[in-house]
Amino acid sequence: MGLAKGAKGPRLAPGAEAVDAAFDGKLVAVLETLGASGAEGEATKLPAPSGVKAAIVLAVGLGEAPEDGDGYDLEALRKAAGVAARALAGTKKAAFALPAADAAEVEAVATGALLGAYAFTAYQTENGGKGSLGEVAVVGAKPRDKEHKAAAERATAVSAEVNRARDLINTPSNDLDPKAFAAQVQAAGKEFGLKVEVLDEKALAKGGYGGIIGVGRGSATPPRLVRVAYKHPKADRTLAFVGKGITYDSGGISLKPAGHNETMKCDMSGAAAVFAAVVAIAKLGLEVNVTGWLALAENMPGGNATRPGDVLRMYSGKTVEVLNTDAEGRLVLADALARASEETPDAIVDVATLTGAMVLALGDGRFGIMANDDDFRAAVHTTALAQGEDSWPMPLPQQLRKTFDSPTADIANMGVRPGGGLIAGLFLREFVGEGITWAHLDIAGPAFNEGGPFGYTPKGGTGTAVRTLVSLARQAAEDELL
């Protein structure tokens, strides 16, 4: 149940009326005695009184109470449900008596609870934890109401796929190389009726994918380009999602310094988000065609690795002088963007843990959005915020374009250091087909949480951008996008 901060002290949020009645209307007073204030992230446990079919009652903080007549912010509900799910780890079943008067609130509470219950324990042979929360029931939801039922189904499908992405991101690189990643996509394709095509190193070389081959050739595990497609028979809109899938990034010959390598298994977070989003869209049966492109490679400093100064001929035919082998994500994405453009989708959205510069600009908690269309960039930003995925619109200043001119090739893969995240976006724009609407999401900040868990966000892989991509597809299906 929820507790909010009011002007005259904490107050119960809607949904907790039955619990308060079991405490003879004194629940707030009891919680205040225990130090509860309703602050965001707060969790207070107390024994359940007679009349409540539970061993304990848990009050979670919702932050500032809304003005009279206004509903609770959906992200506040998601976060509170996530806090509750983590606090109830090991519990078989929990009833969430948070505000759930309409379908949007039902979806928010269910999503927060399911994401908050996530735990990655695959490699813990002696797991000292209690395990995650087993089952979630949203009190106040109406299972016979079509809108409430659809909201619960969306929350279940999308949360499961966000958690799939988290699992992939958290899996060590020795168990998730490009070949293993591609195999997981193939297995999901069979399960959910998706068309999956995998280009191995021979097919990539024959097809002229110089960017993907160039990045992956220093590794003992060769690269892959995976196409995973969902098609609806009644759809007249097509979206293409492109994900950076560097399963481990050592920096290549331009080796990363000590202290910057330990979390580089997460450099495939964009590909994980794209894969998970396509599966979620298929589960929901959205009336839209969606194709995911996963550019998978391992960036290692092997004897055959690309060297600074080498020139790669990309899939598009452009030549790129590689000045820094640690600017590899844009190279694999360039090939995938050019290939995706050949199918002339209505829009392309790429997702990548692309630049440290974006983290410096926006911090760990939000991703940057660049686009070749201002209205589309605004639509993606609005969509992300509505899903609780913090983002910020970023420009593509044309004056920075000349900074990655090359005297040897058509362009270089690096420009000046100031505005490095914007230069990466400008580089990618070079490989988007003429007339195709495109947006680039640089998720380097929020993709991997090195701190402690908070709200519904766990430590480690977060699965960021999955919900944004699914929501964009849903809008396209309903003719509300483009």
Side-chain angles (χ1 to χ4, degrees):
M1 50 167 236
L3 188 69
K5 295 179 69 175
K8 298 180 180 180
R11 70 188 200 198
L12 292 177
E17 294 82 3
V19 181
D20 187 37
F23 278 89
D24 296 326
K26 299 177 181 178
L27 180 53
V28 171
V30 173
L31 289 169
E32 279 192 288
T33 301
L34 295 173
S37 66
E40 182 181 305
E42 185 179 77
T44 308
K45 290 182 180 180
L46 62 160
S50 59
V52 174
K53 296 180 180 180
I56 63 168
V57 169
L58 175 69
V60 288
L62 287 164
E64 296 293 336
E67 298 292 333
D68 289 341
D70 293 337
Y72 279 83
D73 179 73
L74 296 180
E75 181 65 0
L77 295 179
R78 292 187 199 104
K79 288 179 177 179
V83 169
R86 285 191 290 104
L88 295 170
T91 304
K92 291 182 179 180
K93 181 177 181 179
F96 285 69
L98 291 165
D102 58 31
E105 291 182 342
V106 170
E107 186 172 355
V109 173
T111 297
L114 294 169
L115 295 181
Y118 174 81
F120 185 71
T121 59
Y123 293 84
Q124 297 177 358
T125 57
E126 297 180 4
N127 181 18
K130 300 177 182 179
S132 54
L133 172 63
E135 185 178 333
V136 171
V138 180
V139 176
K142 302 170 185 176
R144 295 183 181 180
D145 184 296
K146 290 183 179 180
E147 291 186 359
H148 283 210
K149 183 179 179 181
E153 290 174 348
R154 281 194 302 271
T156 301
V158 176
S159 297
E161 293 312 311
V162 172
N163 289 338
R164 182 198 295 271
R166 290 170 170 180
D167 281 346
L168 287 165
I169 297 163
N170 289 326
T171 299
S173 301
N174 58 319
D175 281 344
L176 191 74
D177 59 22
K179 182 178 179 181
F181 198 146
Q184 290 208 31
V185 181
Q186 289 173 314
K190 291 180 181 179
E191 183 179 357
F192 298 106
L194 304 171
K195 185 177 181 180
V196 179
E197 301 172 53
V198 178
L199 298 185
D200 62 13
E201 66 273 27
K202 293 180 181 179
L204 289 169
K206 183 178 179 180
Y209 293 87
I212 298 174
I213 288 288
V215 172
R217 71 187 189 191
S219 173
T221 58
R224 298 284 188 270
L225 176 63
V226 179
R227 178 183 185 273
V228 52
Y230 162 76
K231 191 171 184 178
H232 193 284
K234 296 182 179 179
D236 58 7
R237 295 290 181 90
T238 298
L239 299 179
F241 298 151
V242 177
K244 173 186 173 183
I246 303 300
T247 58
Y248 184 77
D249 183 18
S250 70
I253 296 297
S254 306
L255 195 66
K256 292 181 183 290
H260 291 75
N261 297 318
E262 291 78 4
T263 62
M264 282 299 101
K265 65 180 182 181
C266 81
D267 212 19
M268 36 59 69
S269 296
V274 166
F275 170 35
V278 175
V279 176
I281 291 162
K283 284 182 174 181
L284 295 172
L286 299 182
E287 196 170 310
V288 62
N289 298 325
V290 179
T291 302
W293 298 88
L294 316 183
L296 307 176
E298 189 175 65
N299 187 24
M300 297 293 284
N304 196 39
T306 293
R307 297 153 293 228
D310 285 358
V311 174
L312 305 177
R313 186 172 296 278
M314 312 297 282
Y315 179 79
S316 69
K318 285 183 183 289
T319 56
V320 176
E321 182 182 12
V322 179
L323 300 181
N324 186 331
T325 64
D326 196 23
E328 85 299 330
R330 64 198 70 182
L331 298 175
V332 301
L333 284 173
D335 275 355
L337 284 168
R339 175 64 185 88
S341 295
E342 289 183 343
E343 298 185 0
T344 59
D346 293 293
I348 298 176
V349 180
D350 77 69
V351 187
T353 47
L354 206 58
T355 65
M358 195 58 60
V359 184
L360 292 175
L362 299 179
D364 292 329
R366 60 194 52 81
F367 56 77
I369 304 172
M370 286 154 268
N372 60 4
D373 181 278
D374 289 345
D375 289 339
F376 189 57
R377 181 184 61 189
V380 175
H381 176 50
T382 300
T383 299
L385 293 183
Q387 294 300 313
E389 297 193 317
D390 203 357
S391 64
W392 196 253
M394 301 293 284
L396 289 173
Q398 189 58 35
Q399 65 267 29
L400 291 177
R401 167 59 187 86
K402 63 183 178 181
T403 70
F404 54 93
D405 283 342
S406 165
T408 305
D410 294 329
I411 54 175
N413 77 327
M414 290 290 289
V416 294
R417 287 181 63 85
L422 310 183
I423 288 172
L426 287 165
F427 180 93
L428 294 179
R429 190 177 67 178
E430 298 274 323
F431 298 89
V432 177
E434 187 73 26
I436 297 176
T437 301
W438 159 79
H440 160 56
L441 278 55
D442 189 336
I443 62 170
F448 196 85
N449 174 29
E450 294 187 60
F454 59 93
Y456 53 82
T457 302
K459 183 178 178 65
T462 64
T464 194
V466 173
R467 290 181 290 147
T468 296
L469 295 179
V470 174
S471 185
L472 288 172
R474 185 181 174 192
Q475 291 174 65
E478 296 173 355
D479 290 330
E480 296 176 355
L481 184 72
L482 303 169

